[in-house]
Amino acid sequence: MTHEMAVSKAQEIAGSVLAPNAGQNDRAGRFSTEAVEALGRSGLLGLMLPADIGGSGLGPRTFAAVVAMLAEADASAAMVYLMHILGGATIAAARPDAAQAVATILQDICAGRHLSTLAFSEAGSRSHFWAPISRAHRNGHGVLISAKKSWVTSAGYAQSYVVSSLAPEGAGPTDSTLYLLPAQTHGLSVAGPWDGLGLRANASAPVTLEECPIPSGFQLTNDGAGFETMLNLILPLFNLGSAAVALGLCRAAVAGTASHLKRAKFEHLGQSLGESLPTLRAHLATMQIETDGLAARIDDLIDHLEKPRETTMLRVLESKAAAGDTVISVTSTAMRVCGGAAFSKHMNIERLFRDAHAGAVMAPTGDVLREFIGKSLLGIPLF
Ligand SMILES: Cc1cc2nc3c(=O)[nH]c(=O)nc-3n(C[C@H](O)[C@H](O)[C@H](O)COP(=O)(O)OP(=O)(O)OC[C@H]3O[C@@H](n4cnc5c(N)ncnc54)[C@H](O)[C@@H]3O)c2cc1C
């Protein structure tokens, strides 16, 4: 699959499967299994996996374009896809001792039969996902893990979970190890409902692990090396993907607002809202400027990921922080411009506005990213 083919498949799924059902799924808080099936059939679930195991071997540029395309139609489905791609990338990067055990799962992902996700955040350390409270204990064949994972996208729908836990002999708070837990693992259960303000259709419910047995073949990183994988593999892709979700939401907000300004009429003046009011045109223009600014920032991050250099980690941190602010600003302006019609849920703008607020609170949160950037500019250790 080429970049163009992947984007065109995403566009087709966004138009035929996601867009027609996004509003209804949002209202019902319903996870779209149809979206996952369509992504599986199209080959997009294996987008970034190596070609020699059946994946498409595509890079961050295609990933961001596909995520933005999906998010423009349905940010919930886009976030499910994003977390899956991260789960798949982590499984594919498994240490050599796990390669054989995870081979079938990677093949299933490439065949479109397997959805994965990340289960890092814990009730005890909240948004500080890099510092799990849970600790793995050796049981002779591998480890046992008990943990309270506070939010897990696709909980109850994923076929596997990439889980963090302190290494059995880990000495510090970030000495974690990553493990792969198939959904049917004994002791793994979805521990509550998901009824969020936004991203209501992505099943981000809590998951409890009670003495879950994990064979050594499903230990994805070396003992204590989970943090390194989170930082070097997962964080850059997560921040890029989150920024791409924000971009899709911004584009949808601009399109929805422009369409409203053309359609809605002041009949007593014989003009549309857009023809009648320069303030609304100026707000729309500001939304477009902010959206294109975010697109340029994402392009710059992709360039840094493709050609890593000294400023790459700074760009990784900046991108998600900036995207979180931009998408809240653009969708808030859309709410104001579309007035009572948006407020009364006559159009999709209020869903975009609610979905937009998830990015800034998903870890690393916008505040935490600023804290990291500020500390690094001042030469203060981050952890
Ligand atoms: C829709 C959704 C999907 C999610 N999906 C997943 C998933 O698939 N997997 C997963 O592991 N997690 C997931 N999460 C969890 C998410 O990544 C965060 O861990 C969670 O939202 C943090 O919420 P909290 O109330 O625990 O935040 P808290 O840690 O209580 O933070 C509260 C406030 O304090 C601020 N704050 C915290 N620490 C600092 C600091 N050091 N410096 C400055 N400010 C700080 C935060 O920015 C925030 O404003 C999801 C969350 C949501 C909302």
Side-chain angles (χ1 to χ4, degrees):
M1 184 162 16
T2 61
H3 171 89
E4 286 72 24
M5 284 161 72
V7 176
S8 137
K9 280 171 192 253
Q11 187 172 21
E12 210 278 310
I13 293 170
S16 64
V17 183
L18 270 48
N21 299 306
Q24 217 178 333
N25 287 338
D26 167 67
R27 278 189 293 281
R30 180 185 170 275
F31 185 92
S32 175
T33 47
E34 304 80 44
V36 175
E37 281 161 18
L39 290 164
R41 277 195 304 276
S42 68
L44 289 174
L45 291 186
L47 185 83
M48 294 188 82
L49 295 182
D52 59 5
I53 58 162
S56 302
L58 290 161
R61 188 170 295 280
T62 313
F63 166 61
V66 167
V67 169
M69 185 66 75
L70 299 178
E72 201 171 332
D74 181 352
S76 285
M79 187 56 73
V80 166
Y81 181 70
L82 153 58
M83 297 309 275
H84 162 80
I85 291 292
L86 299 183
T90 313
I91 300 167
R95 67 196 178 113
D97 288 356
Q100 202 186 344
V102 302
T104 320
I105 288 178
L106 289 171
Q107 281 158 14
D108 282 351
I109 291 177
C110 295
R113 292 191 292 266
H114 188 111
L115 183 75
S116 195
T117 190
L118 303 180
F120 289 174
S121 305
E122 296 196 356
S125 49
R126 308 189 68 89
S127 59
H128 298 187
F129 65 87
W130 55 86
I133 301 296
S134 67
R135 182 182 293 279
H137 295 280
R138 299 204 187 280
N139 70 348
H141 320 284
V143 295
L144 290 172
I145 297 185
S146 295
K148 286 189 189 319
K149 296 294 180 182
S150 41
W151 286 273
V152 181
T153 295
S154 309
Y157 295 92
Q159 275 76 41
S160 70
Y161 300 82
V162 173
V163 167
S164 57
S165 196
L166 282 177
E169 295 83 25
T174 60
D175 290 344
S176 63
T177 307
L178 301 184
Y179 302 91
L180 181 64
L181 272 70
Q184 66 277 13
T185 300
H186 183 75
L188 185 157
S189 60
V190 177
W194 166 242
D195 184 13
L197 172 77
L199 296 187
R200 290 179 48 75
N202 82 350
S204 291
V207 166
T208 300
L209 310 179
E210 274 183 46
E211 300 273 293
C212 289
I214 305 168
S216 60
F218 282 165
Q219 178 180 329
L220 297 176
T221 67
N222 289 329
D223 287 318
F227 179 66
E228 202 185 317
T229 299
M230 286 178 185
L231 208 64
N232 297 326
L233 175 71
I234 298 171
L235 182 69
L237 282 181
F238 178 68
N239 283 12
L240 173 62
S242 296
V245 170
L247 180 61
L249 283 166
C250 287
R251 286 178 173 157
V254 170
T257 303
S259 151
H260 183 69
L261 293 189
K262 281 194 227 164
R263 261 188 300 110
K265 300 261 187 286
F266 285 128
E267 288 182 19
H268 60 300
L269 303 176
Q271 286 183 320
S272 69
L273 256 63
E275 286 166 336
S276 184
L277 293 171
T279 41
L280 300 187
R281 295 196 292 271
H283 280 313
L284 179 65
T286 302
M287 290 167 63
Q288 180 68 44
I289 292 165
E290 289 190 76
T291 301
D292 285 342
L294 176 56
R297 189 181 277 286
I298 289 174
D299 276 345
D300 175 59
L301 173 59
I302 292 166
D303 187 63
H304 274 76
L305 294 177
E306 288 174 346
K307 289 174 263 162
R309 58 202 103 145
E310 209 182 320
T311 42
T312 298
M313 189 44 92
L314 187 59
R315 292 293 189 280
V316 166
L317 300 176
E318 288 171 350
S319 300
K320 180 173 179 289
D325 291 349
T326 302
V327 71
I328 288 174
S329 166
V330 168
T331 55
S332 300
T333 305
M335 284 296 290
R336 182 168 163 187
V337 171
C338 297
F343 197 83
S344 308
K345 306 183 183 180
H346 296 170
M347 49 199 305
N348 72 349
I349 297 293
E350 64 82 34
R351 169 167 59 83
L352 306 176
F353 172 77
R354 287 184 288 101
D355 287 350
H357 282 74
V361 300
M362 286 183 78
T365 69
D367 295 324
V368 166
L369 289 164
R370 280 183 176 72
E371 180 66 351
F372 286 171
I373 294 167
K375 277 182 170 173
S376 70
L377 289 174
L378 297 175
I380 301 169
L382 300 198
F383 297 98

